[in-house]
Amino acid sequence: MTDPLVIFTPSGKRGRFAVGTPILSAARKLGVDLDSVCGGRGICSKCQIAPQFGEFPKHGVTSAQTALSDWNTVEERYKSIRGMLDGRRLGCQATVQGDVVIDVPPESQVHKQVVRKEVTARDIIMDPATRLLFVEVDEPDMHEPSGDFERLAAALEAQWETGPITAPLAVLKKLQPTLRKGNWQVTVALHQGHHDQVARVMDIWPGLYEAGLFGLAIDLGSTTIAAHLCDLTDGRVLGSAGVMNPQIRFGEDLMSRVSYVMMNPGGEEEMTRVVREALNRLVVELARDAEIDSAAIVEAVIVCNPVMHHLLLGIDPVELGQAPFALAISGALSLDSHELDLRAMNTSGRIYILPCIAGHVGADCAAVALSEEPGKQDDLTLIVDVGTNAELLLGNRTRVLACSSPTGPAFEGAQISNGQRAAPGAIERVEIDPVTREPRFRVIGCDLWSDDPAFAEATVATGITGICGSGIIEAIAEMRMAGLVDSKGLNGSAEQTGTARMIPEGRTHSYVLHDATATGGQMIAVTQGDIRAIQLAKSALYAGARLLMDEFGAERVDRVVLAGAFGAHISPKHAMVLGMIPDAPLDHVRSAGNAAGTGARIALLNRASRSEIEETVGRITKVETAIAPRFQEHFVNANALPHATDLFPELRKVVTLPDMLFNTSGDGPDGRRRRRRS
Ligand code: FES
């Protein structure tokens, strides 16, 4: 008689097994992804399966109710104490009795998929570097003397085929009491880095440890530090938190922080200390909010720009402030948490820092490349990570180029007269009626437009405090579309534009978006200086993109991806009206949200992705904007709105831009616009 057939879904793997074979053993033999922490001892419940009964013509079997052994006392005890869904069995307890179809639910799969919300994004396959293993260790024997660690290593090899292991002193110190407390049964957190020949025991608990393992994906930006706390078994994000980077007090932007170090020798040590302290506070806060022990956070992946990279590591960043912008190290780093003073996480915790691409293009850009995968696209894709220093990637399957461009902080609301960071009360959306030239706007913290009768009351708490980066972009683009600002970026006067909202300011004019001065409030206007600041920033961004296109030999791009928290809020149409980004069909411009943070999360949850990005970064061609002769030419041409020479045909299919120039010598005597001669 032939052995019964066992078919696993969703993998479709099948094989014949002798009657009495545990389903967990059958799964292991076939390479089916079925989890187990306790090694089949019936105590971890990770191996839960959902047997399917009935006729399965597709598989050519009938799966009878008698196809598995009877429900046993181990399962009954587990279900009564911990609960288990009806119809579920423990794979290590149920044995094969006849042909059977076994479904492995997602939560029982080790390499489960973490579905990303973004439609275009790939899912993450779970394969974390650290996992929990329950193990029974031989007791010491005077006749065969050996160390407790050696017997732990032998047990791990015998029960889990771990290969050779090592352990830091912190673990060795607690090894003996833990083994004895657990009555020679312990759970270890075993870390196997993608380059490690030898796995390392990161922590050890008596008996079966079930409180979980956690990791952090950290995006260490020059302005804010954002971290996601992730469950290392299922990839869930348990919490996210952000704090301001405390280094801001040493300089708003990166170069001013480098200058601070140049002027204050040893200043980098202070900056290193404050950023590490901020990270420790974030760890404590995230663990507290998620109600987990911060010592269960065993890994962190950090992405950051090159200056932050060096300041975090305690490396003097001065070389990054001057040509040839040499990094102390560009490769990926695997470190112990105590090397970075990250005391709040597990004392044996591991830190992985993605590789930097070049002296101006950091590990954050590498993380964007990991998340967005430009090198796997057929379409030529431009990815723009907008920040104080924009980082750009351009590529397709043939090759990928990268550069950075010094946009400055204008896009974040700095250098703007009523500018502010994105916070409640900041104007973030603007529309201007092209006929009446009257604006309406929305502020962060309120869903209503300002022309809604309930708006005033709804914004009492936040007030209307200023204009943030996305707000100023929309305001200027709307002004351009409404004929209030010309293609050279010059504001018209009240006479030229026909609206009293244009008020004189010295020899220039400002457009009043909001005026509450009559009630003791603020006036928020877009000044000529604001427009100049945005022109400089957007010209740098566009020139960087054009330089990459030159290098690629492309006249146009197929797709544009706006990355970064700011990118998530920019309207593609308005960005293109300003000429921030190259012309492309508007429905081919999308936001990728915090792609750098997502890249960090991928690297945290999937070991192979670390090798992948290290290899990818090695193949990315770096283009240095600072020394490129054509940068200046592109920069000057990009000063116009949207551009002096590039025609933006896709944009013009959907937007009409008034073609006029205001009198640059001031208001014309007749107050009329001067038409451009064509
Ligand atoms: Fe742990 Fe089955 S493998 S309960």
Side-chain angles (χ1 to χ4, degrees), residues 365-404:
C365 193
V368 171
L370 178 58
S371 171
E372 293 301 311
E373 302 183 306
K376 292 185 181 171
Q377 316 297 328
D378 291 324
D379 285 344
L380 182 60
T381 305
L382 175 73
I383 305 171
V384 182
D385 195 349
V386 186
T388 43
N389 200 40
E391 291 177 340
L392 298 99
L393 290 162
L394 175 73
N396 59 16
R397 281 184 202 286
T398 59
R399 62 184 182 133
V400 177
L401 314 174
C403 76
S404 74

Side-chain angles (χ1 to χ4, degrees), residues 542-603:
Y542 191 84
R546 281 298 313 196
L547 214 54
L548 291 185
M549 289 161 71
D550 287 353
E551 184 70 28
F552 205 95
E555 268 307 306
R556 57 186 299 277
V557 300
D558 298 316
R559 293 184 181 275
V560 180
V561 176
L562 299 170
F566 176 58
H569 296 106
I570 302 180
S571 126
K573 180 176 86 177
H574 293 99
M576 212 177 276
V577 167
L578 288 192
M580 282 176 70
I581 50 176
D583 189 48
L586 274 181
D587 58 352
H588 287 192
V589 183
R590 70 173 173 89
S591 161
N594 182 3
T598 305
R601 197 152 63 90
I602 296 171

Side-chain angles (χ1 to χ4, degrees), residues 92-124:
C92 61
Q93 301 301 313
T95 62
V96 178
Q97 302 296 323
D99 291 352
V100 67
V101 174
I102 302 285
D103 187 53
V104 181
E107 58 273 23
S108 299
Q109 296 169 13
V110 182
H111 303 285
K112 47 189 138 293
Q113 287 197 351
V114 182
V115 179
R116 286 174 58 186
K117 284 193 220 98
E118 304 87 353
V119 261
T120 51
R122 70 173 187 190
D123 294 337
I124 307 170

Side-chain angles (χ1 to χ4, degrees), residues 36-44 74 77 92-93 134-136 159-160 185:
S36 161
V37 167
C38 73
R41 292 173 183 81
I43 52 175
C44 73
V74 173
R77 195 181 61 222
C92 61
Q93 301 301 313
F134 177 86
V135 65
E136 283 178 77
Q159 293 163 42
W160 292 101
Q185 295 185 336

